[in-house]
Amino acid sequence: MVVGEDEGGRLDAWLAGALGPELSRSRIKALIEAGTVAVNGTAARQAKQKIQPGDEIHLVVPEPEDAEPAGEDIPLDILYEDDSLVVLNKQAGLVVHPGAGNWTGTLVNALIHHCGDSLSGIGGVRRPGIVHRLDRDTTGVMVVAKTDQAHRHLADQFADHGLTGPLERAYQAIVWGKPQGLKGTIDAKLGRSRDRTRRAVRDDDGPDVRHAVTLYLVRERYAEKPDGSAAASLVECRLETGRTHQIRVHMAHIGHPLVGDNEYGAAFRTKVNRLPEPARDTVAGFSRQALHAFLLVIEHPLSGETLRFEAPLPADMQHLREAFAAL
């Protein structure tokens, strides 16, 4: 590559412009510091190095390194896949990313095995690009990037929360009781709780506190009484922000925690004992939070096409729904 007559300036900025979306600015900086970029035959060592019109730039992009987590043959329910991304219906019990206590058996391990060499590398490493997460026991639709370009584009969409693009995220939850009104907005900031492991609604402006908004719509009411109360409800939730445990904390905050949520709804466990059989056994045996990401709408990072994906309620939540509906 040769620097044009009206070009010049910083090496990293020029390369970013010349290479378009193929490599991120941070990736280009890493390549320069690794000595794989030469200016007029001499290896460049600083991203801020100045270049002049007529300079010859030579760039070598190494093959992506193998990911540190090993690939594992874990069954996946793939809804869609191409060279840029994978969309899947995540099962309950699957942790998304390796971490303390879960170094193997994760979605990342499964995707490394499933995708193989089709992963072109995120930041120079052959690994899937995680742009959003679902809790271990939350099921439903997830999208994962296979390239740097797709990763950046999808990350921007999720950061924008659908304000300027087609992104939509919707969940189905079975909650205790019936929220007031058929629809509502929960606007409550979230931060770490006192035990530092969970999240909680906070009214201060601490460094870990973030704005959070959840919209809910009551779809079904179970064992509704004349006074308007109900044993439980099927609620559709849509996110205007994407905070850790947002739906779980917000629904508990308004007095309607998710059925099966032992972290944020432990005080409601005794409600199970008041249910008649056979619903009592079904609800008591439901061992995870009743939350399912049923809808995801994204813009394809290359074609710009709007893609819509839906996943039906998993069998265990459908069984739970039927048990409440039979009350």
Side-chain angles (χ1 to χ4, degrees):
M1 297 179 288
V2 178
V3 180
E5 292 183 3
D6 298 324
E7 300 174 340
R10 287 177 58 120
L11 175 59
D12 59 346
W14 184 87
L15 281 171
L19 297 173
E22 295 301 320
L23 295 176
S24 66
R25 187 81 170 260
S26 60
R27 177 70 172 131
I28 289 170
K29 180 181 178 182
L31 291 172
I32 293 170
E33 293 175 348
T36 65
V37 179
V39 179
N40 298 325
T42 302
R45 292 296 182 182
Q46 290 187 314
K48 65 181 180 180
Q49 178 175 328
K50 299 297 182 182
I51 56 175
Q52 306 295 330
D55 284 346
E56 292 187 6
I57 313 297
H58 184 65
L59 167 66
V60 176
V61 180
E63 287 295 318
E65 299 175 3
D66 287 336
E68 187 173 330
E72 297 179 47
D73 188 4
I74 299 170
L76 294 174
D77 181 6
I78 303 297
L79 304 179
Y80 173 86
E81 182 174 5
D82 62 22
D83 292 340
S84 297
L85 52 84
V86 179
V87 180
L88 60 107
N89 181 15
K90 189 184 87 66
Q91 62 264 43
L94 186 62
V95 175
V96 170
H97 202 280
N102 295 288
W103 294 113
T104 61
T106 71
L107 176 60
V108 167
N109 297 107
L111 286 168
I112 289 172
H113 173 85
H114 171 79
C115 297
D117 290 340
S118 69
L119 291 172
S120 68
I122 308 295
V125 178
R126 189 175 281 113
R127 61 182 173 85
I130 304 298
V131 293
H132 68 125
R133 301 189 185 203
L134 297 177
D135 295 339
R136 174 205 291 263
D137 289 325
T138 297
T139 56
V141 187
M142 281 190 66
V143 60
V144 179
K146 296 171 70 174
T147 69
D148 251 331
Q149 181 179 353
H151 187 245
R152 292 196 303 276
H153 195 288
L154 290 168
D156 288 344
Q157 290 185 57
F158 278 85
D160 182 64
H161 300 298
L163 294 176
T164 61
L167 181 80
E168 289 185 59
R169 302 167 69 187
Y171 297 73
Q172 291 169 317
I174 298 177
V175 304
W176 287 110
K178 187 189 77 172
Q180 190 171 20
L182 293 181
K183 62 180 180 179
T185 300
I186 308 170
D187 187 343
K189 295 184 290 186
L190 299 179
R192 291 189 181 278
S193 63
R194 291 181 179 179
D195 62 18
R196 307 296 293 174
T197 60
R198 297 183 298 170
R199 293 297 189 272
V201 169
R202 299 262 296 271
D203 59 6
D204 61 288
D205 294 316
D208 63 314
V209 176
R210 298 290 184 271
H211 177 237
V213 177
T214 302
L215 310 178
Y216 70 83
L217 177 65
V218 179
R219 290 294 190 184
E220 296 176 358
R221 303 176 297 282
Y222 309 120
E224 191 170 22
K225 298 179 180 179
D227 63 3
S229 65
S233 302
L234 176 68
V235 178
E236 180 179 314
C237 295
R238 291 179 181 257
L239 303 177
E240 286 193 1
T241 55
R243 311 303 180 199
T244 301
H245 297 176
Q246 179 173 318
I247 292 173
R248 298 167 63 188
V249 179
H250 270 175
M251 295 310 297
H253 175 64
I254 65 171
H256 302 283
L258 275 59
V259 173
D261 192 340
N262 291 326
E263 282 194 87
Y264 300 105
F268 281 66
R269 289 176 187 165
T270 56
K271 285 185 173 291
V272 177
N273 299 326
R274 303 175 196 170
L275 297 174
E277 294 292 357
R280 183 191 308 164
D281 283 346
T282 299
V283 178
F286 193 83
S287 58
R288 67 179 182 93
Q289 67 269 6
L291 185 61
H292 175 66
F294 80 93
L295 173 68
L296 178 65
V297 180
I298 59 171
E299 178 181 284
H300 192 280
L302 285 187
S303 69
E305 179 185 1
T306 297
L307 304 178
R308 180 185 182 92
F309 303 98
E310 294 190 38
L313 276 178
D316 63 343
M317 273 189 71
Q318 181 60 28
H319 188 43
L320 183 69
R321 177 190 184 187
E322 292 169 354
F324 276 120
L327 291 176

